Amino acid sequence: MRISWNWLRQYVDTELTPQQAAAVLTSTGLETESVELHEPIKGMLAGVVVGHVLQCDKHPDADRLTVCMVELGDGEPEQIVCGAPNVAVGQKVLVATVGSTLNMTDGTSIVIKKSKIRGQESCGMICAEDELGLGKSHAGIMVLDPSAVPGMSASDHFGLKSDHVLEIGLTPNRTDAMGHVGVARDLIAAINYRTGSSLQLGLPDISGFVQDDEARSIAVEVRDAKACPRYAGVTLTNVKVGPSPKWLQERLTSIGLKPINNVVDVTNFVQHELAQPLHAFDADKLNGGRIVVRLAAQDEQFTTLDGKERKLDAGDLVIADAQEPACIAGVFGGSKSGVSDATTTVFLESACFDPSTIRRTARRHGLSTDASFRFERGVDPEITVYALKRAALLLKEVAGARVSSPVIDIDHSLRHRSEVHLRFSELAALSGIRIDHDAVVRVLELLDFRIRERNAQGVHVQVPAYRVDVHRPVDVIEEILRIHGFDQVPVPERLSVPSVTHPALTLESLRQQTGMHLATRGFREIMTPSLVSGERVVKSGIIEEASAVRLANPLSTELDVLRPTMLFGALQAMAHNINRQQRDLRFFERGRVYGRNVDRTQETETLSLTITGRRWQEHWRADDRATELNDVKEEVEALLGRAGLLARTTWVPVEHALLENAAVIHVNKRPVGIVGQVTEREAKSSDVSQAVFHAELNEEALLDACRSGHIAYTEVSRFPAVRRDLSLLLSNEVQFEHLQKVAMNAERKLLREVDLFDVYQGDKLPAGKKSYALRFLLQDAEKTLTDEQVEKAMGRIRAALEKEVAAELRG
């Protein structure tokens, strides 16, 4: 949210600089992300002054140029060569002096230098409005009013003032700070508490509001008090729609809003001043001269201000006239009832709507406006009429309006402010410090909390109506601490650290260990949205329509289903990086995947690994090859080995909609994940043209497997191990996991490890065959192996491989 410093100072009289105020606001929880200089005209016309043309002579060598003598208010007149046809003696003009920079409307800039033009010296430039960034005309120089004072800076002549804009990263609960007054309130509370000052909040005065006549009145009916707890309105006549005065335009442009006309600008101004949205109707366009606040009929047609025809839902609240909707309440206005240049009578609305109703309507229609942003989070029901009167007075000032009806105020709000009892012991326990009880009361009073009761044990307070987020003691404690200052909580000189223990393995600790492991292996963690396109999910074949978990009110058709796999997000992240010339990627992500089983939604904690590009970073000593499927399998094996599960792991080939050469990973005969190469079709659908390899692991299944294993200490054998290698000719269908299992079963006592260290497939082998080179490690924990024992063990292994998988021993 953007806050103008000049605007803010209307409500708080402080000598702080914008940067100092930003630091104070950040310490109170209104995090100020940046402080930017705002200039109504770039450069603020620095170096441009008012000049008085004393003499004009034809240029001796150019028919279209004039040699002028111009008084600049600082001594001797300066000679300036001018090409404008309208320059004349006696004019007051704007002169860019030597060394100044002009920022023109087309975005270019020029530096004024002392020069010679066709042999005549020129010490400056008499400017047209487009050269100063004041307009688009280049027909001639700007001629000022004769009363302009030579030598006065152009910025002073035009009354230009720079500003600073504070960009506040507002948290969703702080609806009270969605306007300048709310921010000023927090700033004053912090300054007064921390410095002992007595600053007062300078709220706009509405005591001058009176009804001028009874020329026009609009009847109001509220049919749904739950959706609209409070509705107020007033009718204004004699309205003259036109451009807003300079001060109002400057206020709006400083926070990034474009001025439209004086009526709309006033509603926007009050919204950003008081955080209370308003809406102005052309009263002459309201059928029947009445306003009806009601729920829409199902599929009722309505055209919004952007010209779009929309079908309303029975849950949408509308502001209607006697015949049809005129506005989607709290969200968007209608095309028929809006204020135009021909408007002379305005019905001004100020209301308090139910946040849930507005939120559902805004999401349903894909609309997000400044008004809905505030109504969705809850506005102050006690400021409704105050904001209405404030806007009416401004319209009297800037549009010549007359108040022609009494204020209509239909109030169904409960008028019940939350009350909270806070024990001082709770404050001390949660904050870790003891704050003087009088200081606690002072903070609460500065924040407009009303003290209902106080004793030695605690304080009972009534929460201000604009703090819709404060309901519990912990909320009140947060309010106290943010004004007292979180940085005032001291760090103790000595920290007591408990002895190191080894707690039971939890899902969180498993995640920490796997995350650190993958980071050391060169992976980068990503976080992607859990919402994906339902159409893409169903079309991919990963799940059926009935198994998709759809949102009731999606923000977009592209984000309407909870992801059934982590792959879609990983592919988007890869496409984003590849498009920025980062092609060698190793990502991991932790999150949930979703599915529906009959009437039940299942959520699975999942870890995904996704790799693409080259296997190694480019280096003269590295093998420059592309990543392969075995590389992602290797990473899965390393992870399972780190968890002590590799010896209990098997791989089972399976058909998969999104993965080629896929295999289900089993630990203790229970499926814990899947691995494979992403299909070319699926990769290209995410604009990824290179090979991608992906694995997903069920973290809860991994946790169960880790817990079921028993880690026992075994002394390192002092007897040497013996290595033997076999080169085997095998059918292409035989997997290494099967060979490993056969060998281990054949020699249970001495065989410790089986590894694959070479693979060959080529035209030198019979069709349908491949060659594997296996390493076998044998060891006896109690004695040194003899050659005879080794040969007998290898004989059993060879026989088993020949029998079980038809392996042939190569020479």
Side-chain angles (χ1 to χ4, degrees), residues 454-747:
R454 175 188 173 182
N455 54 40
Q457 285 70 45
V459 61
H460 191 82
V461 298
Q462 185 183 66
V463 181
Y466 57 80
R467 290 310 304 270
V468 296
D469 59 318
V470 177
H471 305 285
R472 306 165 298 169
V474 68
D475 299 328
V476 178
I477 292 173
E478 180 184 0
E479 293 301 295
I480 295 168
L481 287 177
R482 68 185 188 84
I483 300 301
H484 179 74
F486 290 107
D487 54 352
Q488 298 301 311
V489 179
V491 178
E493 294 181 359
R494 178 180 297 177
L495 293 176
S496 299
V497 180
S499 58
V500 177
T501 59
H502 297 281
L505 185 66
T506 64
L507 185 61
E508 184 58 33
S509 60
L510 177 65
R511 284 174 171 169
Q512 290 178 354
Q513 293 183 43
T514 55
M516 288 189 291
H517 168 83
L518 291 170
T520 61
R521 302 277 300 185
F523 281 79
R524 294 180 181 272
E525 185 171 10
I526 60 173
M527 296 178 67
T528 63
S530 57
L531 293 173
V532 295
S533 166
E535 181 182 358
R536 178 182 178 184
V537 166
V538 175
K539 191 175 181 180
S540 71
I542 185 67
I543 58 171
E544 297 178 354
E545 173 67 35
S547 300
V549 182
R550 292 190 175 274
L551 297 188
N553 294 305
L555 293 173
S556 163
T557 55
E558 293 297 313
L559 300 170
D560 59 342
V561 166
L562 289 169
R563 61 187 176 198
T565 173
M566 309 282 274
L567 178 59
F568 298 127
L571 286 174
Q572 288 180 353
M574 287 197 158
H576 178 85
N577 282 271
I578 290 171
N579 290 338
R580 287 155 180 79
Q581 300 181 336
Q582 303 297 317
R583 308 186 68 86
D584 306 322
L585 306 169
R586 297 165 72 83
F587 290 156
F588 78 94
E589 181 176 11
R590 293 171 290 195
R592 293 178 181 175
V593 297
Y594 303 83
R596 190 181 300 281
N597 186 5
V598 191
D599 295 331
R600 183 181 178 187
T601 299
Q602 292 181 324
E603 301 180 14
T604 305
E605 301 288 347
T606 302
L607 169 68
S608 71
L609 284 65
T610 314
I611 62 176
T612 189
R614 288 178 302 200
R615 175 64 182 88
W616 306 106
Q617 185 177 354
E618 189 174 14
H619 191 269
W620 68 274
R621 296 181 62 187
D623 178 17
D624 186 19
R625 67 169 177 83
T627 298
E628 301 171 351
L629 177 58
N630 285 327
D631 293 319
V632 74
K633 285 186 174 181
E634 179 184 344
E635 295 300 339
V636 173
E637 286 182 342
L639 182 62
L640 295 174
R642 174 71 177 80
L645 302 175
L646 188 57
R648 294 178 274 160
T649 301
T650 56
W651 310 72
V652 181
V654 68
E655 294 293 326
H656 193 275
L658 303 179
L659 303 176
E660 297 174 346
N661 300 316
V664 175
I665 307 162
H666 287 78
V667 175
N668 295 335
K669 300 181 180 180
R670 177 187 174 186
V672 300
I674 193 164
V675 63
Q677 178 176 351
V678 180
T679 64
E680 184 178 356
R681 173 181 59 82
E682 194 58 41
K684 285 187 175 179
S685 69
S686 294
D687 296 326
V688 177
S689 57
Q690 59 193 58
V692 179
F693 305 92
H694 182 74
E696 289 191 11
L697 299 169
N698 182 331
E699 290 185 310
E700 293 170 332
L702 285 179
L703 179 63
D704 291 342
C706 291
R707 287 173 172 172
S708 65
H710 298 286
I711 300 176
Y713 168 75
T714 302
E715 186 177 353
V716 177
S717 176
R718 55 192 179 91
F719 300 104
V722 178
R723 169 176 170 166
R724 289 289 186 269
D725 296 342
L726 291 180
S727 181
L728 302 175
L729 187 64
L730 303 162
S731 170
N732 283 339
E733 287 73 30
V734 176
Q735 300 293 318
F736 168 71
E737 291 80 8
H738 192 193
L739 298 175
Q740 186 181 45
K741 184 178 180 180
V742 170
M744 286 292 186
N745 288 336
E747 181 53 56

Side-chain angles (χ1 to χ4, degrees), residues 379-449:
V379 298
D380 180 4
E382 296 186 5
I383 206 174
T384 307
V385 172
Y386 177 87
L388 183 70
K389 291 181 177 180
R390 166 67 167 157
L393 287 171
L394 285 173
L395 287 173
K396 291 182 70 172
E397 176 186 340
V398 305
R402 293 179 62 82
V403 178
S404 296
S405 78
V407 170
I408 299 169
D409 181 18
I410 301 176
D411 188 2
H412 297 287
S413 61
L414 297 177
R415 292 284 182 151
H416 174 69
R417 296 189 181 185
S418 298
E419 295 194 3
V420 180
H421 184 77
L422 173 66
R423 296 196 305 273
F424 294 131
S425 59
E426 287 182 276
L427 172 61
L430 189 60
S431 66
I433 59 174
R434 186 188 180 282
I435 303 176
D436 183 77
H437 297 175
D438 290 338
V440 171
V441 171
R442 174 160 171 73
V443 169
L444 294 173
E445 289 177 337
L446 286 171
L447 291 175
D448 292 342
F449 285 77

Side-chain angles (χ1 to χ4, degrees), residues 159-451:
L160 299 181
K161 293 182 179 179
S162 63
D163 195 1
H164 285 82
V165 177
L166 284 62
E167 188 74 41
I168 296 179
L170 202 62
T171 53
N173 64 306
R174 291 301 306 276
T175 56
D176 63 297
M178 290 181 182
H180 284 69
V181 167
V183 174
R185 187 188 292 118
D186 263 20
L187 183 61
I188 289 171
I191 293 173
N192 286 351
Y193 176 77
R194 298 173 188 179
T195 67
S197 303
S198 55
L199 300 179
Q200 298 294 320
L201 181 63
L203 285 173
D205 182 18
I206 61 167
S207 61
F209 180 88
V210 293
Q211 183 177 345
D212 298 308
D213 55 49
E214 297 180 356
R216 188 76 177 272
S217 182
I218 300 293
V220 176
E221 177 187 1
V222 177
R223 294 181 182 175
D224 194 320
K226 181 178 182 300
C228 180
R230 192 172 189 184
Y231 190 93
V234 67
T235 306
L236 306 173
T237 59
N238 197 44
V239 177
K240 299 177 181 62
V241 178
S244 296
K246 181 181 175 182
W247 71 265
L248 181 52
Q249 293 193 38
E250 287 179 351
R251 287 287 183 258
L252 297 179
T253 56
S254 69
I255 59 173
L257 295 182
K258 181 180 179 181
I260 298 173
N261 60 53
N262 48 7
V263 176
V264 176
D265 291 350
V266 163
T267 62
N268 284 332
F269 176 84
V270 174
Q271 176 174 253
H272 287 272
E273 178 183 53
L274 302 174
Q276 171 62 51
L278 304 173
H279 190 75
F281 298 92
D282 186 328
D284 292 328
K285 297 177 182 178
L286 296 174
N287 296 307
R290 61 189 287 107
I291 285 287
V292 181
V293 184
R294 61 173 174 84
L295 292 175
Q298 185 63 41
D299 295 331
E300 188 171 5
Q301 298 291 322
F302 179 65
T303 304
T304 45
L305 273 173
D306 55 4
K308 289 185 178 181
E309 185 79 20
R310 302 178 188 272
K311 279 188 179 181
L312 301 180
D313 185 87
D316 295 336
L317 187 69
V318 297
I319 311 301
D321 57 26
Q323 298 178 10
E324 59 184 349
C327 172
I328 301 178
V331 180
F332 214 22
S335 61
K336 294 182 180 180
S337 61
V339 172
S340 67
D341 291 344
T343 298
T344 58
T345 305
V346 167
F347 178 75
L348 192 61
E349 165 196 283
S350 178
C352 177
F353 299 117
D354 172 57
S356 298
T357 300
I358 302 304
R359 187 181 306 114
R360 285 193 293 267
T361 294
R363 298 296 181 271
R364 189 179 294 121
H365 296 286
L367 294 169
S368 179
T369 61
D370 282 346
S372 67
F373 180 78
R374 288 161 174 79
F375 282 127
E376 286 176 29
R377 290 157 176 79
V379 298
D380 180 4
E382 296 186 5
I383 206 174
T384 307
V385 172
Y386 177 87
L388 183 70
K389 291 181 177 180
R390 166 67 167 157
L393 287 171
L394 285 173
L395 287 173
K396 291 182 70 172
E397 176 186 340
V398 305
R402 293 179 62 82
V403 178
S404 296
S405 78
V407 170
I408 299 169
D409 181 18
I410 301 176
D411 188 2
H412 297 287
S413 61
L414 297 177
R415 292 284 182 151
H416 174 69
R417 296 189 181 185
S418 298
E419 295 194 3
V420 180
H421 184 77
L422 173 66
R423 296 196 305 273
F424 294 131
S425 59
E426 287 182 276
L427 172 61
L430 189 60
S431 66
I433 59 174
R434 186 188 180 282
I435 303 176
D436 183 77
H437 297 175
D438 290 338
V440 171
V441 171
R442 174 160 171 73
V443 169
L444 294 173
E445 289 177 337
L446 286 171
L447 291 175
D448 292 342
F449 285 77
R450 186 174 300 172
I451 308 301

